[in-house]
Amino acid sequence: MSVQERKQRERADRERLIVATARELAEQQGWDAVTTRRLAERIEYSQPVLYSHFRGKREIIGAVALQGAAELAAAVRAATAAADGPRARVAALARAYLDFAVRHPAVYDAIFQLDGGLPYAREDTPEPLKDAFAALLECLGEVAGDGVHPGLFTETFWAALHGVATLTRAGRLPPEDTELRLELLVERLSVV
């Protein structure tokens, strides 16, 4: 291995460490606790080293969002692949989505709530974000119904799931009724 390859590998390792540490700290204490000073202390590198990877917290949030979007897409695809029939796939998608939001609240916030400097719903949207939407579209597009644009249907269903996730977490909706809300969403679909 050349010196250049070793340096690139070490740089990539440091970047993964920064993102993993930020994610861990955010999940434990919230995003307000994630500061470049605290991250530098935790990873045992100086702040200038951290800044050589990321210009600041916003870019770190963006990196966590991209990582989380890939994980969300994988979770949705795994859940829907194991389901039999369109309605069961939609129910599995909804449960996987809400489960992800509950299990990884800081990552969920990085993807959908916080400013990570990432463009959404545009040509230059990063691939992991496009793929997360594609994972939803793969399942929901098949149940959109005649004359309904699959992308618009997916956006609308996704918005409903996001609303359930964020309102439940904020204490605006009682968590014990989450399954009933999912049943209502899925039962109203026009598929068998």
Side-chain angles (χ1 to χ4, degrees):
M1 175 182 303
S2 73
V3 172
Q4 181 65 20
E5 289 171 330
R6 181 182 53 78
K7 285 183 179 185
Q8 287 174 342
R9 188 188 74 229
E10 289 171 354
R11 180 172 176 74
D13 289 345
R14 272 193 313 273
E15 193 164 300
R16 280 190 292 276
L17 177 62
I18 294 166
V19 171
T21 304
R23 184 176 170 160
E24 178 184 318
L25 187 57
E27 291 292 4
Q28 291 171 352
Q29 300 177 32
W31 278 105
D32 286 342
V34 179
T35 64
T36 54
R37 174 177 286 163
R38 185 174 276 165
L39 282 175
E41 289 171 2
R42 285 232 176 158
I43 64 172
E44 298 178 346
Y45 283 101
S46 67
Q47 282 184 285
V49 169
L50 194 140
Y51 283 116
S52 75
H53 291 273
F54 299 99
R55 285 183 282 193
K57 182 176 176 176
R58 182 177 185 218
E59 283 190 5
I60 294 168
I61 290 169
V64 170
L66 294 176
Q67 188 180 75
E71 292 169 10
L72 176 60
V76 165
R77 285 188 175 110
T80 57
D84 186 30
R87 188 177 298 256
R89 280 191 289 281
V90 172
L93 175 149
R95 284 185 188 94
Y97 184 95
L98 293 178
D99 182 58
F100 183 89
V102 168
R103 286 186 301 111
H104 308 289
V107 175
Y108 187 85
D109 285 349
I111 302 168
F112 299 115
Q113 303 283 92
L114 301 175
D115 179 9
L118 303 172
Y120 285 78
R122 294 187 349 206
E123 190 79 22
D124 60 341
T125 297
E127 198 54 43
L129 298 177
K130 287 180 180 178
D131 190 51
F133 184 78
L136 300 176
L137 181 62
E138 289 162 10
C139 176
L140 294 169
E142 72 177 319
V143 298
D146 294 336
V148 178
H149 187 280
L152 290 175
F153 179 79
T154 300
E155 290 171 350
T156 303
F157 197 90
W158 169 33
L161 288 176
H162 178 70
V164 170
T166 56
L167 291 171
T168 301
R169 202 165 110 210
R172 304 297 198 278
L173 295 175
E176 62 271 13
D177 293 334
T178 298
E179 189 61 32
L180 291 173
R181 288 183 194 90
L182 291 183
E183 288 176 23
L184 281 172
L185 279 173
V186 174
E187 288 302 316
R188 298 298 174 224
L189 296 175
S190 61
V191 296
V192 180

